[in-house]
């Protein structure tokens, strides 16, 4: 990760936050919200530092208070908060932490949101609808965020909603390395990459190129008046006798993925493997994903996955090393794009 940085140890007596000092004397400081403490700790560990000691309180009325217990004046602060359920609580906590950091004179504040909240509300599908993804960007900016970092945005256009730099990271290298390591030569010879809908074709196409496998597309329709219900219409491409790798950015209730897997098996697929970045797993996703139509589900830990929502065919890959490397590149004024062969 480049030249050796000098470590600043935690000094509670003098209220000095732990961090790293580069030749420029900038200080990298990592803080976390309450949504995914394990991920934040892993990121800090990968960077060779500690998390900023922070006080978190919730009053009887439900109001929240956060306070950094040591000075962060002049620091380059990276605030890690993943927006799994309950999303509204974590969003409010993030805004309060941003306000606290701004008032504590942090020099630059980056919100590291592995899963960006309200990302599916990125446009108006019908009249009188909000564009909530833009609203979230406005809230983060107003609260004090100078920069946003996220993984696999549901729509790339969300980058344009934020009036400042956005580092759009991709989990594909993490997932791809797993499949290159675990798929047998026979599986690779019979592999077909499948897009679960037309909106993910571009992403699936990059997977197809990386794995040297043909591409198939599932055409689906949604009822705009009924949430989380999908009807699969037809499959474009040959999947008979193939090992199908379904790639998507997130799994919420699992309805889309299960119907897609059932359609693939009905059309002769021998195995169906699901790869997704964000395991939201709203009920009843965990039960649905144990369908006989799905042989394996591979996700990253961008959002916390409680034990109750884990199952034998689920594989969880760590995203912390990717986030840590991106944070290091931003802090050192390096290139995040270079991490993804110029694609970011």
């Amino acid at each position: 990760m480049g030249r050796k940085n000098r470590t600043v140890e935690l000094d509670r007596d003098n209220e000095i936050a732990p961090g790293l000092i580069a030749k420029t004397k900038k200080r990298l400081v990592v803080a976390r919200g309450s949504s995914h403490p394990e991920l934040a700790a892993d990121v800090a560990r990968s960077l060779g530092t500690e998390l900023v000691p922070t006080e978190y309180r919730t009053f009887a009325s439900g109001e929240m208070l956060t306070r950094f217990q040591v000075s962060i004046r002049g620091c380059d602060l990276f605030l890690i908060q993943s927006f799994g359920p309950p999303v509204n609580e974590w969003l409010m906590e993030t805004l309060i932490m941003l306000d606290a950091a701004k008032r504590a004179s942090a020099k630059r504040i980056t919100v590291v949101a592995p899963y960006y909240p309200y990302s599916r509300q990125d446009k108006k599908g019908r009249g009188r609808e909000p564009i909530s993804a833009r609203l979230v960007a406005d809230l983060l900016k107003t609260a004090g965020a100078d920069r946003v970092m996220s993984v696999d945005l549901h729509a790339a256009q969300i980058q344009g909603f934020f009036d400042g730099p956005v580092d759009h990271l991709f989990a594909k290298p993490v997932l791809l390395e797993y499949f290159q390591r675990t798929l047998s030569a026979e599986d690779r010879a019979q592999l077909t990459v499948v897009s679960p809908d037309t909106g993910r074709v571009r992403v699936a196409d990059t997977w197809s190129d990386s794995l040297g496998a043909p591409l198939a597309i599932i055409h689906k329709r949604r009822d705009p008046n009924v949430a989380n219900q999908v009807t699969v219409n037809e499959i474009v491409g040959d999947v008979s006798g193939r090992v199908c790798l379904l790639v998507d950015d997130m799994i919420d209730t699992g309805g889309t993925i299960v119907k897609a897997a059932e359609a693939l098996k009905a059309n002769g697929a021998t195995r169906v493997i699901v790869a997704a970045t964000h395991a939201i797993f709203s009920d009843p996703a965990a039960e649905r994903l144990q369908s006989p139509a799905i042989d394996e589900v591979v996700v990253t830990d961008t959002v916390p996955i409680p034990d109750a929502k884990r199952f034998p065919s689920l594989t969880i890959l760590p995203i912390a090393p990717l986030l840590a490397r991106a944070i290091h590149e931003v802090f050192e004024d390096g290139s995040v794009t270079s991490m993804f062969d110029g694609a970011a």
Side-chain angles (χ1 to χ4, degrees):
M1 294 175 59
R3 62 180 178 270
K4 183 72 173 177
N5 289 328
R6 185 162 64 87
T7 302
V8 176
E9 301 295 336
L10 171 64
D11 185 350
R12 285 184 178 272
D13 292 337
N14 295 310
E15 294 192 342
I16 302 298
L20 308 175
I21 297 180
K23 285 185 177 180
T24 57
K25 302 302 181 183
K26 294 192 299 182
R27 185 149 55 107
L28 184 160
V29 169
V30 182
R32 70 162 178 87
S34 303
S35 64
H36 202 343
E38 297 84 3
L39 175 61
D42 288 344
V43 171
R45 193 176 302 112
S46 295
L47 286 165
T49 185
E50 304 174 51
L51 294 168
V52 177
T54 308
E55 177 185 0
Y56 308 90
R57 296 176 62 185
T58 302
F59 297 101
S61 64
E63 294 180 357
M64 290 179 288
L65 178 145
T66 61
R67 176 181 178 271
F68 299 104
Q69 295 178 321
V70 291
S71 173
I72 57 171
R73 182 180 298 276
C75 294
D76 202 341
L77 178 70
F78 291 83
L79 172 58
I80 301 174
Q81 182 82 294
S82 191
F83 293 93
V87 60
N88 295 328
E89 182 174 337
W90 304 141
L91 180 57
M92 192 64 210
E93 183 185 70
T94 303
L95 298 176
I96 291 172
M97 294 189 76
L98 285 170
D99 188 71
K102 179 175 64 175
R103 296 178 188 280
S105 300
K107 185 175 183 179
R108 181 172 67 165
I109 307 171
T110 300
V111 174
V112 182
Y115 172 61
Y116 187 89
Y118 289 91
S119 58
R120 284 172 285 184
Q121 297 184 37
D122 61 297
K123 59 184 178 297
K124 290 181 65 173
R126 297 176 298 166
R128 300 181 297 281
E129 285 187 343
I131 303 180
S132 303
R134 170 60 193 264
L135 173 61
V136 170
D138 289 341
L139 290 170
L140 295 176
K141 179 68 175 180
T142 301
D146 299 295
R147 189 183 199 102
V148 171
M149 181 181 295
S150 192
V151 182
D152 283 337
L153 292 168
H154 187 66
Q157 70 199 42
I158 292 173
Q159 297 173 82
F161 295 167
F162 191 78
D163 186 19
V166 176
D167 296 297
H168 187 195
L169 313 182
F170 304 107
K172 179 187 168 186
V174 177
L175 294 162
L176 187 62
E177 188 277 332
Y178 171 81
F179 291 117
Q180 290 174 331
R181 176 167 44 88
T182 59
L183 287 175
S184 66
E186 183 180 354
D187 287 340
R188 291 287 294 272
Q190 298 297 320
L191 187 66
T192 293
V193 176
V194 182
S195 172
D197 54 48
T198 54
R200 306 304 296 174
V201 171
R202 183 178 178 184
V203 173
D205 194 37
T206 66
W207 276 84
S208 176
D209 291 340
S210 298
L211 291 169
L215 175 68
I217 304 166
I218 294 179
H219 177 64
K220 71 177 184 181
R221 288 183 60 86
R222 286 186 183 271
D223 184 342
N225 297 311
V226 182
N228 298 317
Q229 288 197 17
V230 174
T231 300
V232 173
N233 287 328
E234 61 182 29
I235 298 173
V236 181
D238 183 19
V239 298
S240 179
R242 309 289 292 181
V243 175
C244 292
L245 176 61
L246 261 170
V247 293
D248 209 348
D249 64 319
M250 71 175 72
I251 302 175
D252 189 358
T253 62
T256 295
I257 289 295
V258 171
K259 283 186 176 292
E262 290 172 348
L264 292 170
K265 284 288 181 75
N267 280 266
T270 57
R271 291 179 63 203
V272 175
I273 304 169
V274 175
T277 303
H278 308 299
I280 309 302
F281 287 4
S282 303
D283 290 332
E287 290 76 19
R288 285 176 171 174
L289 293 170
Q290 296 180 68
S291 163
I294 298 177
D295 296 279
E296 185 180 9
V297 179
V298 183
V299 297
T300 71
D301 60 348
T302 55
V303 295
I305 306 173
D307 291 339
K309 295 187 178 182
R310 302 189 181 202
F311 45 92
S313 59
L314 177 67
T315 299
I316 304 171
L317 304 178
I319 202 70
L322 180 77
L323 293 173
R325 184 180 170 192
I327 289 171
H328 186 272
E329 292 294 338
V330 170
F331 175 65
E332 293 282 11
D333 298 323
S335 172
V336 173
T337 300
S338 65
M339 297 171 54
F340 307 101
D341 298 323

